[in-house]
Amino acid sequence: LCTFLFPISSFPITPLNITTFTMGRSTTTLLFCQLLGTAHSFNLGTIFKPPTFQAGAGKSNNLANEEAVLLQQISGTANGKNADIETQARVLSLVRKLETSAQPSPSLLSDPKEAKILDGDWFLQYTAPSDIENVDADEKWTATADEAKITTSKAGLQGAVSGGGIPVDASNNVAKQTFDLESQRVTNEIKTGLGLVIVGGPFRQSPNVPLRAVVGFDTAKVGPLDISFLFDIRAKIKGSYDSGWVETTYVSDSVRIGRGNKGSMFILTRDRDAVN
């Protein structure tokens, strides 16, 4: 009974603040458990662990409202390029609320049924650093482990994308990212003044972080020019095609949030026109 009641009592009433677990909000439940003489049997580390979100299981009205507020906040920022420090801070705060309110299941990349929510096209609507220097945040996202031969030096991208070290301005055009689960490949496409830029490669689940997809880029095209050989050269030097990784920190049927190895945060939507 206590286990059932706890998740309910641990969420604030207001829909725009549904993420953080604190001792104050759990007081009623803990007192109830103590009265039953069972509080000593609970593992507090387990009790205060945020709930995981079963991909494809639908989302609550609160989460839908949070998504709507987030998309409204990033509208008009040219994929984050024109977002000032205050806007970036507000966006990061909204992102953290979603990430901690509905963490994806650890089996998102390993369970074919759960992974279906990732399959297909996503459109990049916002890119900015995962944290802001000299700006305090209540709860910052941090990578929990490194991957061999993949750099984690911060790129500081804002309104731009980078595929395997190839940076492209995405402030004027919406980049498309496609997850092909059948072939286990991810492809990034964006139209530029030089033509359609395509960067892609196979991905695999990280052995260190379940929600992290490690990508080994092997394809790069700029208009009619195929420059994939650059990845071949780099792979020979590094001894690996592994080029980067991205962690899916939140996903629903309409919005996906990711964190990359270069210190960037990405917001993507299923609907290309979801953001102005």
Side-chain angles (χ1 to χ4, degrees):
L1 180 59
C2 293
T3 305
F4 173 76
L5 288 174
F6 185 83
I8 299 175
S9 65
S10 61
F11 288 98
I13 295 175
T14 55
L16 299 183
N17 184 17
I18 62 173
T19 59
T20 307
F21 287 74
T22 65
M23 287 296 292
R25 293 168 192 156
S26 64
T27 300
T28 302
T29 302
L30 288 180
L31 286 175
F32 180 79
C33 293
Q34 287 170 347
L35 288 174
L36 293 178
T38 59
H40 66 280
S41 65
F42 284 83
N43 183 326
L44 289 181
T46 301
I47 290 177
F48 290 105
K49 182 179 179 180
T52 57
F53 180 66
Q54 187 73 21
K59 57 190 173 186
S60 68
N61 289 334
N62 282 344
L63 289 177
N65 290 338
E66 291 282 0
E67 288 183 1
V69 172
L70 175 63
L71 297 185
Q72 179 62 38
Q73 188 65 61
I74 64 177
S75 291
T77 64
N79 200 350
K81 185 175 183 178
N82 299 331
D84 55 25
I85 295 297
E86 291 75 15
T87 299
Q88 291 181 53
R90 287 194 294 270
V91 170
L92 283 174
S93 177
L94 291 168
V95 164
R96 284 305 288 151
K97 288 180 180 180
L98 286 170
E99 290 175 332
T100 56
S101 294
Q103 295 178 355
S105 166
S107 55
L108 175 64
L109 292 175
S110 58
D111 185 326
K113 291 183 179 180
E114 291 186 36
K116 285 182 179 180
I117 199 170
L118 294 174
D119 201 29
D121 297 338
W122 293 88
F123 297 94
L124 182 66
Q125 307 289 2
Y126 184 87
T127 309
S130 276
D131 58 72
I132 307 171
E133 293 185 5
N134 302 320
V135 174
D136 293 331
D138 294 336
E139 187 179 6
K140 291 185 178 181
W141 182 90
T142 56
T144 56
D146 293 331
E147 301 292 335
K149 300 182 179 181
I150 295 180
T151 179
T152 55
S153 58
K154 294 184 179 181
L157 293 177
Q158 190 172 337
V161 292
S162 175
I166 302 177
V168 179
D169 181 18
S171 60
N172 295 319
N173 292 292
V174 177
K176 181 177 72 173
Q177 184 176 80
T178 302
F179 268 93
D180 187 337
L181 295 181
E182 184 176 357
S183 64
Q184 290 288 288
R185 289 184 66 87
V186 61
T187 303
N188 300 312
E189 298 182 5
I190 185 170
K191 293 181 179 180
T192 70
L194 298 175
L196 183 65
V197 174
I198 302 175
V199 179
F203 70 88
R204 57 179 173 80
Q205 185 180 33
S206 165
N208 303 314
V209 183
L211 290 171
R212 179 181 295 173
V214 178
V215 184
F217 290 111
D218 59 10
T219 301
K221 296 180 180 180
V222 180
L225 184 63
D226 190 333
I227 56 174
S228 303
F229 68 90
L230 294 176
F231 289 137
D232 295 331
I233 295 173
R234 186 174 66 177
K236 290 181 179 179
I237 296 173
K238 292 178 55 181
S240 172
Y241 273 94
D242 288 351
S243 309
W245 53 256
V246 60
E247 286 186 33
T248 297
T249 54
Y250 175 83
V251 63
S252 70
D253 55 359
S254 54
V255 174
R256 178 164 66 89
I257 298 173
R259 306 279 189 154
N261 61 293
K262 287 284 192 175
S264 296
M265 182 272 292
F266 312 96
I267 300 173
L268 304 95
T269 62
R270 283 292 193 187
D271 180 4
R272 188 185 189 282
D273 300 319
V275 173
N276 295 325

